[in-house]
Amino acid sequence: MGTLFLYELRKLIRQRYLVFFIILLLGVNLFNIYLNYDALLSPQQYVKDGETFALTPLRLQMDRDYEGKITNVKLARLKAHRDAAEAIFSGGDGGTETMYTPYPYSDMNFAGEIITEMQRLYTYHDTVIGAVLQKNAALKAQAQTVNDSFRLRQAQLIEKTYTGRSLDSYYRVNAFETVFSYRLSALFLVLLSVYSAAFLFAGEKENGMLPLLKCTPKKRVLFAAKAAAFFTFVSGVGILFFSADLLMFWLCLRPSGFLQPFYAIEGYTYSVLNVNVVTAYLLTSFLRVLGAFLIGCAVMLLSVLLPKAWHAFFGGALLTAALMAISLFTDGVFGALRFFDPVTLLISIRLFETFRVVNVLGHPVFMYVVALFGSLLFGAFSFTGTWLVYKRRRGYA
Amino acid sequence: MLKQELKKIFIKRYYAVILLALLAAEIILCVVQSNKEGLSGFNKEAYARFVETYAGENTEEKEKLLETSFLYLDNADDLRMLGEQFYQSGDITSEELAQLQAELQQYMSGRTGINVFREHYAYASAKTGREIINNEAWREIFANDTADLIIMLAIIVFTVSAFVAENETNFTLLRLTTPKGRKALYRADLAIGMFSSALFSVLCSALRLGVGQIKWDLHDFDAPLESLEVFENTPFAGTLLGGYLTATLLKALGAAAFVAFCFILGNLFTSSVTVLLAGLLSVLLPQYVLRNARIYYVSPVSLLRGTGFLYGNVILEEAGELPFTVSEAAGAMALPVSLLIAALIVLCAFLFCKKRGAVK
């Protein structure tokens, strides 16, 4: 099995032009991040006395100086800095030697932004979590009164999820929101997955190898080896793309606070994840790789059914477009289809943004769990179908 | 020879069936798009009613009537209260009150549509030469500058089935042994592909206009192109219909050039799946990744975005809530450069024919 797996993996990687496309798409992806998110590489500029200053690095310096645990001393210092900047800006005495930027208005704004952010973080436990738990307590009491077991369990789950949360440190975590909502690399991963899956069986049929392979006693092991090699390939390319994304975004935006709680990011204040940013990124990346692999499983089924690889690729591209349409545009009764759609895993961050549960036999289950289970069911169905067709068909094109 | 090639491509390789299926998909897309409430979520009946009443050149009379209507809309609540007060004091009868309330209700329920019309009216009245048109309808039909994916698919499938599939089955070698198999046959295939894709592109544009006409019952074909907001700075001095036909012509030329580009890809990669992927990427990458770069308008598929060349030489902002995204405008040199690139691509494709035909 091990040898077959290695041979299949090598065969997959050595497909014509695959490495070329991987490099091309990786390059385009990184170029796209540079073009559209280049806060640092092409920073906001300010001209004074004929000299050009890049403001973004100066803002980063300010962030670095105030990073870490939020203390009264830091807050007082920031407020004093802001007031001094405002005084200079309003035409008062004082030069810009104590300022970070040559433009006091920028210092004033930057200091104001950091103060606001610190206050948001520091009061998170009382204002956000306090409000959620208070409202939840009322709903829980109501559920107990009317004996609604589902709502009672939901209230208990909310308590369990949100109790004990607090934030006490300031970092540039909000820049991570851009990283998590970035989707182009996932789209490229799906394209490469569909491309390589199309060749898995249809490619063998086209060059007449499949009947020969099916004559061998290793027919079943071969199938397993192909599937394992395909999963390894998709995972490897996924790791490559998502690591490159993180690196490029770090170069462009310089986020910090990798070990901060995920809910410290302003856009994910109500997130159900109680993990740090790195773990959250690993989790969402894993789900995206899984989503791409499951779509590839469906293309594998097309590959074993159809005589030509390009038929399988074309069908796979159309299937992917249809799955995207289902995931993005369905609602109402058809909205349930989204739970079986692997594309939902590709945009998995939406599943973690806020508290969303599904009523499963009276028990509240997190939506991401249901989506994961539904997608795995989709993949299992495709995989089983592929195996049944592979086992039965003669293998001629 | 042409007849044989046409029969082979359209009948034997089922390309006619594929084209019909794609045309059906285009119709469905047009209908689905036009039946949606739209991303703006406004009251389309009220909007259409106002357009029908006030369409055309902006006159003083229309201005007065519209100002009165907008006054009704802005003060509907106050007018309703006043009406009730007048009724209670006996100044108006119950029938008059009911009539007033019905009229005000019509304004209030159509508020979103009327406000959208008001914005378009403000644009139209800001400069002479602009007319009041059904802005929303024309935006739906015309203003989108993204290349039609259905046309892309038709072209890529054609390239694969007509050119690349023969490489894979080694039929190319047989072709090369025939007297006409070296140059004439390839040129015939290329010409068939270019002509049929251009025709398909024109059909799709005609369908889009037809569906729009059925849905919106348009009458303002002769209005100046500038009447549509996205064409505020257009250098094109024609009418809406003229602009649409120009965009259609550019798209048809773009489709023909794209066939030639896919033919070159087919000769480079010689594998159907790779050509498919390369073809898809050549469409998706300029359209979705490099949107902010000038090369967006000078890629091999740029002419397919025909409408964008009519925008004018002004940087327009991204409009996230509209049914399309307006990108950086083409610039004055974009069209000549795009046409030149398209011509070069077609020339290269025919030269490839010649090269493939050369006996080694």
Side-chain angles (χ1 to χ4, degrees):
Chain A
M1 166 75 177
T3 317
L4 265 177
F5 163 76
L6 284 169
Y7 275 129
E8 286 298 326
L9 187 63
R10 198 171 75 171
K11 201 162 62 176
L12 204 61
I13 293 168
R14 288 173 72 178
Q15 267 167 43
R16 253 189 279 183
Y17 307 111
L18 182 62
V19 174
F20 164 74
F21 280 121
I22 290 173
I23 294 169
L24 172 73
L25 292 178
L26 189 65
V28 167
N29 182 49
L30 295 177
F31 181 64
N32 179 60
I33 296 172
Y34 163 72
L35 206 62
N36 295 305
Y37 303 96
D38 57 354
L40 193 68
L41 297 178
S42 181
Q44 187 188 7
Q45 290 177 338
Y46 170 69
V47 180
K48 185 182 178 187
D49 299 331
E51 211 178 323
T52 307
F53 295 91
L55 287 175
T56 312
L58 301 170
R59 167 63 196 262
L60 283 178
Q61 182 58 47
M62 204 171 173
D63 282 331
R64 272 195 283 271
D65 288 348
Y66 288 99
E67 243 172 37
K69 214 160 171 66
I70 300 168
T71 60
N72 287 329
V73 170
K74 274 187 191 171
L75 266 171
R77 223 170 68 210
L78 258 173
K79 284 177 182 169
H81 184 89
R82 183 192 60 189
D83 294 340
E86 195 176 347
I88 298 169
F89 179 67
S90 309
D93 294 332
T96 57
E97 298 83 23
T98 55
M99 299 289 118
Y100 283 89
T101 74
Y103 187 36
Y105 186 73
S106 294
D107 266 75
M108 195 174 89
N109 277 341
F110 290 164
E113 282 167 12
I114 297 173
I115 291 168
T116 309
E117 178 64 11
M118 280 185 177
Q119 282 169 343
R120 180 187 76 81
L121 293 165
Y122 201 71
T123 58
Y124 175 79
H125 176 76
D126 295 327
T127 55
V128 175
I129 298 302
V132 165
L133 292 177
Q134 194 181 22
K135 194 170 178 186
N136 187 53
L139 290 171
K140 189 176 174 184
Q142 208 177 38
Q144 275 167 340
T145 313
V146 301
N147 213 15
D148 186 341
S149 57
F150 170 72
R151 295 219 182 277
L152 188 60
R153 289 187 187 116
Q154 186 179 257
Q156 285 165 348
L157 186 60
I158 290 174
E159 244 175 43
K160 190 178 163 190
T161 306
Y162 291 108
T163 305
R165 284 190 179 186
S166 68
L167 297 166
D168 59 2
S169 302
Y170 170 76
Y171 288 92
R172 280 177 58 83
V173 283
N174 287 334
F176 283 115
E177 199 172 338
T178 313
V179 182
F180 280 102
S181 58
Y182 184 70
R183 286 174 198 174
L184 189 66
S185 44
L187 174 66
F188 286 162
L189 181 63
V190 168
L191 265 177
L192 290 168
S193 167
V194 169
Y195 179 75
S196 48
F199 281 108
L200 275 177
F201 296 102
E204 306 275 23
K205 266 187 261 181
E206 277 182 335
N207 58 27
M209 281 301 293
L210 198 61
L212 285 171
L213 292 170
K214 290 181 77 170
C215 292
T216 67
K218 300 275 183 181
K219 179 171 82 171
R220 290 177 194 214
V221 178
L222 181 69
F223 181 85
K226 276 185 181 293
F230 178 62
F231 179 73
T232 309
F233 168 76
V234 173
S235 305
V237 174
I239 289 170
L240 178 67
F241 269 81
F242 299 135
S243 315
D245 277 356
L246 193 59
L247 179 65
M248 195 66 187
F249 272 114
W250 182 80
L251 286 170
C252 290
L253 301 175
R254 294 297 162 98
S256 61
F258 285 84
L259 298 178
Q260 288 300 293
F262 181 63
Y263 49 80
I265 303 171
E266 194 172 358
Y268 307 125
T269 300
Y270 295 101
S271 171
V272 297
L273 289 181
N274 284 315
V275 298
N276 60 36
V277 171
V278 172
T279 311
Y281 190 73
L282 288 172
L283 178 64
T284 52
S285 300
F286 168 72
L287 289 175
R288 284 185 283 179
V289 166
L290 187 63
F293 171 69
L294 294 173
I295 293 173
C297 285
V299 179
M300 257 167 53
L301 177 59
L302 292 173
S303 177
V304 84
L305 282 170
L306 298 169
K308 304 265 183 202
W310 81 264
H311 295 168
F313 179 80
F314 189 65
L318 288 179
L319 175 71
T320 307
L323 289 173
M324 280 181 182
I326 289 171
S327 183
L328 296 171
F329 299 120
T330 51
D331 51 20
V333 173
F334 294 104
L337 286 172
R338 275 181 277 171
F339 293 122
F340 300 96
D341 186 347
V343 171
T344 311
L345 296 182
L346 289 172
I347 46 173
S348 54
I349 194 61
R350 280 166 63 172
L351 298 169
F352 299 119
E353 273 171 351
T354 186
F355 187 90
R356 280 199 196 107
V357 294
V358 176
N359 187 344
V360 178
L361 303 173
H363 291 268
V365 179
F366 282 123
M367 203 172 265
Y368 67 84
V369 174
V370 177
L372 179 62
F373 183 74
S375 301
L376 285 172
L377 210 62
F378 173 93
F381 176 76
S382 307
F383 202 76
T384 310
T386 310
W387 166 244
L388 288 172
V389 175
Y390 170 80
K391 206 172 66 161
R392 295 217 171 135
R393 282 224 181 148
R394 285 189 185 159
Y396 297 115
Chain B
M1 181 182 68
L2 263 178
K3 231 184 351 183
Q4 295 300 324
E5 286 301 305
L6 279 167
K7 191 177 168 186
K8 184 183 78 180
I9 292 169
F10 284 91
I11 312 288
K12 300 289 183 190
R13 298 232 174 103
Y14 304 107
Y15 190 54
V17 173
I18 293 170
L19 278 184
L20 283 171
L22 288 172
L23 261 178
E26 179 77 28
I27 295 172
I28 293 168
L29 268 174
C30 288
V31 169
V32 163
Q33 184 189 14
S34 65
N35 272 339
K36 268 169 58 172
E37 191 53 35
L39 296 172
S40 324
F42 64 94
N43 187 310
K44 282 190 174 173
E45 286 82 24
Y47 178 80
R49 203 173 62 240
F50 265 70
V51 166
E52 207 177 338
T53 315
Y54 299 104
E57 277 179 39
N58 189 25
T59 59
E60 273 185 31
E61 192 190 334
K62 277 187 195 174
E63 207 173 314
K64 283 184 188 150
L65 286 169
L66 278 169
E67 272 171 21
T68 314
S69 299
F70 296 148
L71 213 63
Y72 269 25
L73 181 68
D74 292 339
N75 301 293
D77 289 328
D78 295 336
L79 286 169
R80 182 176 276 181
M81 266 171 44
L82 264 174
E84 282 170 8
Q85 281 173 8
F86 285 152
Y87 170 67
Q88 276 164 11
S89 63
D91 291 330
I92 59 172
T93 63
S94 61
E95 288 83 21
E96 283 168 339
L97 176 66
Q99 193 187 350
L100 174 69
Q101 282 178 341
E103 266 181 45
L104 288 171
Q105 182 54 34
Q106 217 178 20
Y107 276 105
M108 285 173 71
S109 60
R111 182 188 294 269
T112 50
I114 299 170
N115 278 333
V116 169
F117 175 82
R118 186 191 288 197
E119 281 169 24
H120 296 155
Y121 169 70
Y123 166 78
S125 57
K127 191 178 169 187
T128 49
R130 293 176 189 167
E131 288 184 17
I132 301 167
I133 60 169
N134 192 332
N135 229 292
E136 291 299 314
W138 280 104
R139 268 191 353 179
E140 210 173 85
I141 296 165
F142 191 6
N144 196 328
D145 74 336
T146 56
D148 196 328
L149 281 173
I150 301 261
I151 298 172
M152 302 288 126
L153 278 175
I155 292 171
I156 293 169
V157 167
F158 169 81
T159 313
V160 169
S161 60
F163 303 129
V164 192
E166 293 197 342
N167 287 339
E168 288 181 329
T169 54
N170 290 325
F171 190 67
T172 313
L173 289 171
L174 280 172
R175 280 173 76 139
L176 288 173
T177 60
T178 64
K180 293 198 178 178
R182 289 186 282 158
K183 291 184 217 173
L185 210 51
Y186 281 105
R187 286 178 182 164
D189 283 343
L190 194 54
I192 289 169
M194 286 171 66
F195 182 74
S196 57
S197 64
L199 189 64
F200 184 72
S201 166
V202 168
L203 267 174
C204 287
S205 295
L207 265 172
R208 190 166 281 275
L209 190 62
V211 170
Q213 170 64 23
I214 291 168
K215 206 236 162 189
W216 292 98
D217 194 23
L218 300 166
H219 298 293
D220 36 24
F221 293 98
D222 292 333
L225 184 63
E226 208 188 319
S227 306
L228 190 53
E229 274 179 69
V230 283
F231 298 116
E232 188 179 350
N233 298 293
T234 180
F236 184 75
T239 60
L240 280 169
L241 183 63
Y244 190 77
L245 291 175
T246 307
T248 302
L249 175 67
L250 289 174
K251 284 181 183 180
L253 289 174
F258 190 56
V259 167
F261 178 69
C262 287
F263 176 75
I264 295 170
L265 283 179
N267 277 288
L268 281 174
F269 291 116
T270 67
S271 157
S272 312
V273 186
T274 314
V275 170
L276 262 176
L277 181 60
L280 271 177
L281 287 176
S282 65
V283 171
L284 295 176
L285 290 185
Q287 189 143 304
Y288 295 108
V289 178
L290 303 169
R291 288 187 68 81
N292 293 329
R294 285 278 176 184
I295 66 174
Y296 186 27
Y297 277 98
V298 292
S299 66
V301 297
S302 57
L303 276 179
L304 282 158
R305 304 176 60 242
T307 309
F309 292 100
L310 303 175
Y311 285 157
N313 197 18
V314 174
I315 308 289
L316 303 169
E317 288 174 12
E318 290 247 331
E321 287 184 6
L322 296 171
F324 60 92
T325 307
V326 177
S327 62
E328 185 178 302
M333 286 306 294
L335 183 57
V337 172
S338 298
L339 286 169
L340 182 66
I341 287 174
L344 279 171
I345 288 170
V346 171
L347 187 66
C348 281
F350 277 97
L351 284 175
F352 255 113
C353 282
K354 198 176 172 192
K355 190 186 172 194
R356 284 197 69 81
V359 176
K360 287 186 186 170

